[in-house]
Amino acid sequence: MSTRKKVHAFVRVRPTDDFAHEMIRYGDDNKTIDIHLKKDVRRGVVNNQQTDWSFKLDGVLHDASQDLVYETVAKDVVAQALEGYNGTIMCYGQTGAGKTYTMTGTTENYKHRGILPRALQQVFRMIEERPTHAITVRLSYLEIYNESLFDLLSTLPYVGPSATPVAVVENPHGVFIKGLSVHLASQEEDAFSLLFEGETNRIIGSHTMNKNSSRSHCIFTIYVEARSRTLSDEKYITSKINLVDLAGSERLGKSGSEGRVLKEATYINKSLSFLEQAIIALGDQKREHIPFRQCKLTHALKDSLGEGPLVQGREREIETSVMRENRGPAASCTPPTGGGARNLGLGPDQESNLGSFSPQADALSSEPHRPGLADLLL
């Protein structure tokens, strides 16, 4: 089994007009962020408030272009799909930080396209470079809204209403989504048509922190099947790439959410908290049980987070990139508490390491909120 690192954590920082440059220092290796806060004098003379933090990651993407983000975070993950490796790229952070922009980009400017359309382009480019192989690409688009599963491609005219409710089920081959339509994409144009169809069906809302806030978690999956056209004894390869745009965590006091938006925020924060618990459990080598079934998000991503199936006699590795989105600091910053995910294991004999990266799980908690890196940068 390869001993190379299989989980990579990056942070993308976008400066804003009120970006507090004096609070943040970037390491010369471009892999660390040091943050210093002034003590709150309102706490009196005896003040044990922590003022300094240091975060170590695989890379800090400060004011980076979409091109650089993709080359750094996603290109290798997508390339390994044709070698039989599952891959997951997960983008998370506080609401309004720019996660959806990173994942899907904008349609107004070609240079601003995100990870998802670039991944599709790379997959079909690799297919063209392998004429000796017969490669099939299929796509699905799942939305998790208030702990209910929805097929974002069910509105296509040839799909029609499904009598089977969408649900997460398991079998000896792994986890799959029952009732979720999977569509053949013979060429790049077909893939983009499916992507745009799903994007138009996503649920968005508005609150004080984000006028166009994603109110659901979305998982766009690229399924790849490959076999040789010339060698009959070559292995039949199957793999999948999960591109996950997580809904942003919210501090209800700041977002001012009410009614339906408040209910959505509660479900979002709760599911992100369960994702945190699953990741922490994966990092604990003594844990025998990983709580994947606590919510639909972790259950659907079970074989991508830590338990992959056996494929053609060879254990499939999982390559994961985690993108954290942050913007410039707000005026009110609070110190982090609690530990982050370290030494994240990816199934049996698949030890991975996040170095000393400590996400602090601020984006993965329900109220009451436990602040962390995003609180210091947002």
Side-chain angles (χ1 to χ4, degrees):
M1 198 65 191
S2 173
T3 58
R4 63 185 176 86
K5 192 173 182 179
K6 300 181 182 67
V7 176
H8 303 267
F10 301 85
V11 61
R12 185 180 192 183
V13 183
R14 297 188 299 125
T16 58
D17 293 337
D18 58 348
F19 194 82
H21 296 276
E22 70 280 359
M23 295 168 49
I24 300 175
R25 294 290 181 270
Y26 303 103
D28 294 335
D29 60 355
N30 216 27
K31 293 184 178 181
T32 58
I33 294 182
D34 297 321
I35 300 175
H36 172 77
L37 297 182
K38 294 181 180 180
K39 285 195 175 184
D40 188 351
V41 296
R42 295 173 297 180
R43 296 192 177 189
V45 178
V46 180
N47 187 349
N48 295 322
Q49 175 188 358
Q50 184 178 354
T51 59
D52 295 280
W53 296 264
S54 181
F55 299 90
K56 185 175 181 180
L57 308 102
D58 290 287
V60 176
L61 300 166
H62 175 57
D63 200 18
S65 66
Q66 295 281 67
D67 285 332
L68 179 59
V69 170
Y70 187 80
E71 290 290 324
T72 304
V73 175
K75 186 176 181 179
D76 289 343
V77 177
V78 175
Q80 292 176 18
L82 290 184
E83 304 299 329
Y85 296 101
N86 283 348
T88 298
I89 300 171
M90 189 180 302
C91 193
Y92 68 102
Q94 187 169 329
T95 181
K99 300 178 298 299
T100 300
Y101 172 76
T102 295
M103 290 303 295
T104 60
T106 62
T107 57
E108 293 82 6
N109 192 319
Y110 183 74
K111 291 183 178 180
H112 294 167
R113 67 197 189 282
I115 289 177
L116 215 160
R118 291 171 188 266
L120 291 174
Q121 290 176 317
Q122 182 180 347
V123 166
F124 283 97
R125 191 181 305 117
M126 291 190 302
I127 292 176
E128 293 178 356
E129 295 171 353
R130 299 195 180 192
T132 59
H133 285 72
I135 302 174
T136 303
V137 176
R138 292 182 172 85
L139 307 171
S140 67
Y141 211 165
L142 174 69
E143 180 179 54
I144 305 175
Y145 173 73
N146 289 357
E147 279 301 284
S148 297
L149 304 180
F150 298 94
D151 183 358
L152 290 176
L153 300 178
S154 63
T155 55
L156 291 168
Y158 57 85
V159 175
S162 174
T164 304
V166 183
V168 183
V169 297
E170 297 185 45
N171 62 21
H173 301 289
V175 174
F176 73 99
I177 312 299
K178 184 179 181 181
L180 181 67
S181 61
V182 180
H183 304 263
L184 177 67
S186 301
Q187 54 189 352
E188 189 175 313
E189 291 76 10
D190 298 337
F192 278 107
S193 295
L194 293 170
L195 170 61
F196 296 147
E197 177 71 22
E199 286 296 310
T200 58
N201 294 326
R202 292 188 61 174
I203 297 175
I204 62 173
S206 178
H207 53 71
T208 57
M209 297 183 68
N210 191 355
K211 293 182 179 179
N212 297 290
S213 173
S214 301
R215 311 310 295 163
S216 59
H217 308 302
C218 289
I219 305 173
F220 187 90
T221 305
I222 305 172
Y223 306 88
V224 179
E225 301 176 11
R227 60 177 177 81
S228 175
R229 298 180 187 270
T230 57
L231 302 176
S232 59
D233 59 342
E234 186 169 315
K235 291 181 178 179
Y236 182 84
I237 294 175
T238 63
S239 60
K240 65 180 179 180
I241 307 168
N242 286 317
L243 303 171
V244 187
D245 183 11
L246 297 173
S249 63
E250 296 181 24
R251 285 193 175 189
L252 303 182
K254 287 186 176 181
S255 64
S257 300
E258 297 178 348
R260 178 180 62 85
V261 180
L262 173 61
K263 180 181 178 181
E264 293 168 347
T266 303
Y267 275 105
I268 290 170
N269 288 343
K270 186 181 295 185
S271 62
L272 291 174
S273 179
F274 288 142
L275 176 61
E276 171 202 7
Q277 293 175 20
I279 291 176
I280 290 176
L282 284 166
D284 186 353
Q285 302 297 323
K286 297 180 181 179
R287 287 286 293 266
E288 295 182 359
H289 172 69
I290 309 299
F292 287 115
R293 295 180 179 234
Q294 289 189 110
C295 69
K296 301 291 177 56
L297 175 65
T298 53
H299 198 186
L301 293 175
K302 178 180 178 180
D303 57 357
S304 297
L305 290 173
E307 294 190 2
L310 293 176
V311 179
Q312 297 294 330
R314 181 185 69 180
E315 187 167 7
R316 175 181 295 163
E317 297 181 14
I318 304 171
E319 185 79 21
T320 306
S321 286
V322 182
M323 274 293 298
R324 168 159 226 121
E325 291 289 338
N326 294 297
R327 292 187 300 176
S332 59
C333 297
T334 48
T337 58
R342 290 194 174 101
N343 298 319
L344 176 60
L346 292 179
D349 302 322
Q350 296 187 21
E351 183 176 351
S352 301
N353 196 311
L354 284 174
S356 58
F357 168 55
S358 180
Q360 305 297 342
D362 64 290
L364 308 179
S365 60
S366 55
E367 298 291 333
H369 184 78
R370 297 199 307 168
L373 176 57
D375 295 287
L376 299 169
L377 296 175
L378 276 160

